[in-house]
Amino acid sequence: MTTAKLTDGLVAGFDTPKRELIVWDEALARFGVRISPTGGRFYLVQYRPKGEGARARTARRITIGQHDGALWNVTKARAAARRILAQVDLGQDPFADRQAEREARLAAELAAKAEAEAKAREAEARKAETFNALLDLYVTRKLSRRRSRVEAERLLRTGPARKWGERHVSEIGRKDLALFLEELSTRSQAVGHATYAELGPFFAWCLDRDVIPASPLAGVRRPSRPQARERVLLDEELRLIWTATEGRGYPFGPLFKLLILTGQRRGEVTGMDWAELDLEAGIWRIPGERTKNGQAHEIDLSPEALQVLKDVKALGLPGGQVFQGRGAGGQVTGFSAAKRALVRAVEALRRKEAAEAGEDPPGKPLPHWTIHDLRRTVATGMNGLDVPPHVVERVLNHITSTKSGLVGVYQRHEYRPQRKAALLAWGSHVAAVLGKEPTGGNVVRLRA
């Protein structure tokens, strides 16, 4: 055992040994410096714990610090050693205490890490079970099989998803749904009734996936079914709406015109793709997966409708969709705002025309109308042009599952010549309402 009275100069002057060397301090027993083969000098204390069987106990060694002449030197290290050894002389075991502290600190760190990881997993799981995340999955795995998937997805995304999109689906309660549906139905009874009908299957699907313990829709009163509308636009109203669309621009200007000229459903016109159109033949072929009844449907395009489409094509927009929303390939949205803007434009046009005619401004606005009223107006207008009801039904693609009797015969019959004549006649009628010459030029004879 090597001993010496340790000084800073002595410690600094030790040669680097080939093997570890410990030099014990003659001034303070159990205190020394360890010189490593790499040149490091480390102050330490070594002791055996006091008490019964002390001699049999393993010697403890505590490193105080590395000699650098400033933070740790002989004087500071010896003082630290005295404090440690004083605890030993009182029967304590600083080494065991430090080891216990390290173990406690390590255990605390591991516990904190485990808790953080658990919270991260929980957050990730919650993120995967928000209304939006589950709706995306529902649309892909369940809703995609339904013929009415486009309208169903629209109802779920424009209402509930905007309300609770980032909320965990289990946090949506019965009270939330009751208040939401009440508010929705106040604005539109039809939308409230239809949204309730789509929320039921969605929450049932979530229940099947064990994401929620029970459907929050259970016990929520279904909004009343709206009364069937009978609103049909007069020719003058149709003229005002068409004229007002001239200032709306793309996409809603031409979109509203095609709704008027074809009588097809809003979702079908909105989702129109150039691949569905044969402008040379004047035919629009809607695949079955895009129609409400799941049956492919062909629409003969009047010259007026073809002109609208040619004007859109001249815009040179990229992509296959005729009507595009914001972003590449985005779906057209914002119909409510577009309809309100169109109504304002109609009223402005009425005031302008009254002023030009030297008349008083209109006292009341046009009676309320909806986008679906355009489809009813087309059907009623064709009837007024002596188009038989069963031909009108085929133009509108109103086909039920009934296959027996006279109705079934009518439904199976395509009536292509009569349908084409009806749409051409309707296009000519719209042109006449606008004070224009029919674009086609030919007079089409309608046959039952």
Side-chain angles (χ1 to χ4, degrees), residues 33-286:
V33 63
R34 178 173 63 85
I35 301 98
S36 71
T38 58
R41 289 146 171 79
F42 303 90
Y43 296 110
L44 57 86
V45 294
Q46 183 170 297
Y47 68 92
R48 288 182 185 276
K50 292 184 177 298
E52 186 177 349
R55 300 302 299 176
R57 295 185 183 179
T58 304
R60 313 289 205 199
R61 181 179 292 179
I62 298 176
T63 299
I64 297 173
Q66 184 174 0
H67 175 82
D68 58 10
L71 181 61
W72 286 111
N73 54 30
V74 172
T75 302
K76 292 181 179 179
R78 189 180 282 122
R82 285 195 177 96
R83 289 193 293 271
I84 294 172
L85 294 172
Q87 296 175 18
V88 173
D89 293 338
L90 291 173
Q92 299 177 19
D93 190 351
F95 180 88
D97 293 343
R98 288 190 178 189
Q99 189 175 37
E101 289 176 4
R102 283 195 299 271
E103 290 174 353
R105 185 168 59 251
L106 179 60
E109 290 173 356
L110 291 174
K113 183 179 179 182
E115 184 180 0
E117 291 174 349
K119 287 183 177 179
R121 287 193 299 270
E122 182 182 354
E124 194 64 27
R126 286 181 63 83
K127 186 178 178 182
E129 294 177 354
T130 61
F131 190 95
N132 274 342
L134 288 170
L135 179 57
D136 289 342
L137 206 59
Y138 176 71
V139 168
T140 303
R141 298 187 180 180
K142 190 78 173 179
L143 206 57
S144 59
R145 305 172 192 171
R146 285 174 47 185
R147 292 196 299 265
S148 58
R149 61 189 177 279
V150 175
E151 178 63 11
E153 182 179 1
R154 185 188 70 80
L155 286 168
L156 290 171
R157 291 200 186 279
T158 56
R162 288 182 181 176
K163 183 82 172 176
W164 307 304
E166 299 308 315
R167 189 188 294 190
H168 192 276
V169 72
S170 66
E171 297 174 351
I172 303 171
R174 188 169 62 181
K175 183 178 180 180
D176 295 317
L177 284 163
L179 291 174
F180 169 72
L181 289 168
E182 182 181 351
E183 178 185 347
L184 200 61
S185 299
T186 301
R187 296 200 304 267
S188 171
Q189 196 172 1
V191 173
H193 185 272
T195 301
Y196 180 100
E198 295 303 335
L199 282 170
F202 171 73
F203 283 122
W205 178 81
C206 292
L207 183 60
D208 289 341
R209 293 176 62 85
D210 203 25
V211 179
I212 53 177
S215 172
L217 203 61
V220 176
R221 185 175 180 180
R222 182 170 188 162
S224 302
R225 184 183 295 274
Q227 294 181 349
R229 288 181 57 81
E230 298 179 356
R231 175 86 159 96
V232 174
L233 298 170
L234 303 174
D235 283 350
E236 172 61 10
E237 294 175 321
L238 205 60
R239 180 191 72 81
L240 287 166
I241 292 170
W242 179 286
T243 306
T245 64
E246 300 285 357
R248 303 315 306 159
Y250 179 90
F252 288 107
L255 204 159
F256 273 100
K257 289 179 181 178
L258 286 178
L259 287 170
I260 292 172
L261 290 168
T262 67
Q264 302 310 301
R265 296 178 178 87
R266 187 183 78 177
E268 294 164 352
V269 177
T270 304
M272 182 186 289
D273 195 285
W274 289 113
E276 300 171 357
L277 294 163
D278 185 344
L279 298 184
E280 284 292 324
I283 297 176
W284 171 24
R285 298 180 176 91
I286 309 177

